[in-house]
Amino acid sequence: MFKAVIFDCDGVLVDSEVVGLDASASYLQARGMNWSKAELIERFSGLRDDEFFKLLASAYEDANGAPPDDSFFTGLYDQRRLSDMPMEAVTGAHEALAKIDLPRAVASSSRTDRLERKLKTTRLWDFFAPHIYSADCVDNGKPEPDIYLYAASKLGVLPAECLVVEDSTHGVYAGINAGMTVWGFTGGGHCFAGHAERLSAAGAAWVAADFASLSERLAVMPVH
């Protein structure tokens, strides 16, 4: 029985993973990292900045024979920042959240300031406040369970009573490592062919294709 639902932000609530993805992939390919957009999402989505930068620096060194300097990361960030794609809520998020009659929280790898900006820009903040938690709050980012355990403690529920909604394999691992039930989600614009299968392979108990199917399934689940 679920007593709370904890949502990831990027790619679940806010369609932000796809923003600047074309430009980011091109930028990295020009520097020796020949990943497709789908491979880029598979490798890095769901990670906190520190873990993302560590893994990316290692890949850069493997490809170029020397570690990157700061301009490499600044240039990559600029590709996303200069994207002309608007930051939007994932389709159906507002309608589904209005129907979910459970305590809920956001547990995100985004930095606190960016998380607030994303949720307020997309008019999702009020669905969750004050239970909006960044991985800045904990020692270890996803796939470690810290942020999900932190959110559950703030909600006052046991981990086993929580449902996690995640779009990344790193996030699925984090929810499972926290002892929670995890549903995968593929409603974001960054979910390419095979994404649902990867979430299932990571341990997601079920995968929702969109918010309509997620809210319909949750409505018939035993809760409280």
Side-chain angles (χ1 to χ4, degrees):
M1 295 196 343
F2 301 134
K3 292 188 177 179
V5 187
I6 308 177
F7 292 84
D8 176 51
C9 176
D10 295 293
V12 174
L13 297 171
V14 180
D15 210 2
S16 50
E17 295 285 16
V18 72
V19 173
L21 183 58
D22 286 330
S24 295
S26 296
Y27 179 88
L28 293 172
Q29 289 163 4
R31 288 154 181 82
M33 286 153 283
N34 296 312
W35 302 317
S36 67
K37 291 180 291 183
E39 289 172 325
L40 191 57
I41 289 295
E42 183 179 355
R43 284 172 176 266
F44 299 115
S45 66
L47 295 176
R48 195 167 64 177
D49 281 355
D50 56 346
E51 187 66 19
F52 168 61
F53 290 145
K54 181 174 71 175
L55 293 176
L56 191 57
S58 177
Y60 181 98
E61 187 167 4
D62 288 344
N64 296 282
D69 57 26
D70 290 344
S71 65
F72 167 72
F73 295 105
T74 301
L76 178 61
Y77 174 72
D78 285 345
Q79 299 305 305
R80 292 176 63 91
R81 183 176 59 82
L82 297 174
S83 171
D84 60 1
M85 291 185 66
M87 192 73 72
E88 297 180 340
V90 171
T91 300
H94 293 97
E95 295 81 0
L97 291 169
K99 296 176 183 177
I100 295 174
D101 185 24
L102 280 172
R104 56 198 171 209
V106 175
S108 173
S109 293
S110 284
R111 295 207 306 255
T112 300
D113 58 337
R114 294 183 185 174
L115 180 58
E116 179 175 353
R117 183 168 65 251
K118 291 170 187 175
L119 292 174
K120 288 186 174 178
T121 297
T122 56
R123 298 180 292 106
L124 291 166
W125 179 269
D126 290 341
F127 284 107
F128 297 96
H131 295 295
I132 297 169
Y133 306 112
S134 162
D136 292 347
C137 300
V138 296
D139 290 336
N140 303 296
K142 302 172 185 178
E144 298 303 317
D146 301 32
I147 186 60
Y148 281 119
L149 293 173
Y150 184 85
S153 70
K154 291 293 187 180
L155 287 167
V157 296
L158 296 173
E161 299 170 330
C162 294
L163 171 66
V164 165
V165 182
E166 266 286 357
D167 69 302
S168 73
T169 55
H170 297 110
V172 171
Y173 293 140
I176 291 172
N177 290 337
M180 301 176 180
T181 299
V182 182
W183 287 357
F185 184 81
T186 60
H190 66 296
C191 296
F192 299 98
H195 198 96
E197 290 77 8
R198 285 190 288 273
L199 296 178
S200 294
W206 177 69
V207 180
D210 50 37
F211 265 107
S213 57
L214 186 146
S215 59
E216 287 171 6
R217 186 177 179 97
L218 191 57
V220 300
M221 296 293 292
V223 295
H224 304 295

